[in-house]
Amino acid sequence: MAEDIEDGPAMDARRFAALAEAYGGDLRRWPQAERDAAAAFASSETGQAISRRAHTLDALLDSYRVRHPGKALHDTILRTADRYIVRRRRQRFWWLGLGLAGIGLAGAIAGLALVTVVTPEVQPDHYVLDANATAFGDAGPDMIEEDL
Amino acid sequence: MSADPDEELVRRVGAGDPAAVQTLVARKLPRILSLAVRMLGDAAEAEDVAQETFVRIWRHASSWRRGNARFDSWIHRVTLNLCYDRLRRRRELVTDDLPDMADPAPLPDAREEPHRVEQALQAIAPRQREAIILVYYQEMSNIEAAATLKISVDALESLLSRGRRALQMILARDGVHD
């Protein structure tokens, strides 16, 4: 029903007629700030005449009623809701799965990087170079047991 | 701004709560359907509009945030926009397929009072019809109706006055109203 936070103008026949013309004869539809003044004016002869005219059209508007929604429409709408909600849940799970996979992948990469940084590099035995090593092998003095 | 009575329900619908979905349909379907029926004057088209409105609700419920309008005002705006799309399409069809002669046969139930009121509502300007439906039938306050129509309260009162005057003229011409 009507409500208005602003103070309305003082009620007179002109204002009362303007409001009745807009909102009809039922004061519950009128701007809230003007209802008390309007109710007081409505008891006057002029007020009664204006209200009567407005109520005539209100009664005609009241006669036009709309049927309540049928069960078929109600059920169809609920079915569409199911479809949307199920789809949204699936999307949510899909994104959750993708997020978890992403977190797992990021963890694996971080772990690999950590292992690479922390673990010291191990040189293979056959690739140990020292001052005596040449392309033909170790050119240092042969040290065999017989020489010792 | 006062609290929105639908806000918590919409949040639950957005979270996929089946009980909230049922409550929302029970609460809003009669309002949406009656708005569409009175805007379009066609029950079948109004049912299509109601379904489309709910599809938009399901799509937006999880991300719906209250801005300047309440949820009820938002769904009224969505429904009205969908009704306007259909009214525009109708106008295009009428322009394209104008019959050579008007059908002289009287409309069914043409003498019936509610039917005359329905026809009179369809005959007035759509913006005036919107204003009357929101304030009179949907029982919105003047401030809510003005916010839904994105106009001032003064402009709303002007639409209402002109709409009611036009209805009175049409109904008086048809012998329904003095």
Side-chain angles (χ1 to χ4, degrees):
Chain A
M1 290 290 158
E3 58 186 52
D4 199 338
I5 49 172
E6 292 173 12
D7 284 340
M11 192 57 59
D12 55 18
R14 196 187 164 116
R15 180 65 185 155
F16 190 88
L19 288 169
E21 199 174 45
Y23 297 102
D26 189 342
L27 295 186
R28 286 174 301 177
R29 291 196 179 89
W30 290 30
Q32 195 164 26
E34 299 188 87
R35 273 184 224 161
D36 288 345
F41 188 86
S43 56
S44 70
E45 204 172 306
T46 312
Q48 283 179 11
I50 293 169
S51 296
R52 250 194 320 275
R53 272 202 302 277
H55 277 303
T56 311
L57 183 59
D58 290 352
L60 285 168
L61 288 171
D62 278 342
S63 73
Y64 175 30
R65 294 180 185 279
V66 172
R67 274 191 300 175
H68 252 59
K71 191 178 180 309
L73 177 65
H74 191 269
D75 291 349
T76 304
I77 288 169
L78 286 180
R79 274 199 300 277
T80 59
D82 280 347
R83 275 206 299 275
Y84 273 90
I85 287 168
V86 166
R87 192 184 301 167
R88 198 179 303 139
R89 271 195 199 138
R90 275 192 199 139
Q91 280 174 345
R92 204 176 294 159
F93 283 126
W94 193 84
W95 282 110
L96 186 68
L98 196 69
L100 287 174
I103 290 167
L105 191 65
I109 290 168
L112 193 66
L114 192 69
V115 166
T116 309
V117 169
V118 170
T119 311
E121 200 175 339
V122 179
Q123 298 291 351
D125 290 346
H126 67 276
Y127 206 67
V128 174
L129 295 176
D130 63 24
N132 297 320
T134 70
F136 303 103
D138 192 353
D142 289 333
M143 300 282 277
I144 54 172
E145 274 182 41
E146 290 90 323
D147 295 335
L148 294 175
Chain B
M1 198 185 292
S2 56
D4 187 339
D6 298 317
E7 200 164 6
E8 173 59 17
L9 185 62
V10 178
R11 190 196 60 72
R12 283 170 51 211
V13 169
D17 178 349
V21 167
Q22 293 218 353
T23 306
L24 190 79
V25 174
R27 190 184 289 180
K28 298 298 176 187
L29 177 57
R31 280 176 73 65
I32 291 170
L33 188 66
S34 65
L35 171 64
V37 167
R38 288 185 173 114
M39 274 305 289
L40 298 169
D42 183 308
E45 268 197 299
E47 290 199 357
D48 290 345
V49 164
Q51 286 188 46
E52 287 175 46
T53 303
F54 273 98
V55 166
R56 277 167 171 74
I57 293 173
W58 308 142
R59 270 193 202 143
H60 293 101
S62 61
S63 59
W64 189 82
R65 298 284 177 276
R66 189 185 176 186
N68 293 324
R70 290 178 173 200
F71 179 72
D72 194 62
S73 301
W74 178 73
I75 59 170
H76 274 74
R77 192 63 259 162
V78 169
T79 309
L80 287 171
N81 286 341
L82 291 168
C83 288
Y84 269 104
D85 288 345
R86 283 168 185 267
L87 291 171
R88 261 194 299 275
R89 256 179 266 161
R90 264 190 217 169
R91 272 202 299 274
E92 285 161 14
L93 283 173
V94 168
T95 315
D96 292 345
D97 306 325
L98 209 58
D100 294 336
M101 282 180 67
D103 185 357
L107 290 168
D109 301 321
R111 300 301 305 173
E112 200 185 330
E113 198 171 81
H115 186 73
R116 290 290 185 93
V117 175
E118 181 188 347
Q119 285 191 321
L121 263 177
Q122 294 303 311
I124 65 173
R127 288 292 275 177
Q128 296 170 8
R129 182 158 74 241
E130 264 184 321
I132 289 175
I133 292 170
L134 293 186
V135 172
Y136 197 90
Y137 292 109
Q138 303 297 105
E139 298 195 331
M140 276 190 171
S141 73
N142 54 350
I143 292 170
E144 283 168 349
T148 303
L149 299 180
K150 295 182 178 169
I151 55 175
S152 67
V153 170
D154 284 348
L156 174 78
E157 285 185 6
S158 171
L159 280 176
L160 288 169
S161 300
R162 284 184 284 138
R164 281 178 67 97
R165 269 201 303 273
L167 281 176
Q168 273 168 337
M169 273 177 57
I170 294 166
L171 293 169
R173 189 191 61 201
D174 293 348
V176 179
H177 181 55
D178 297 331

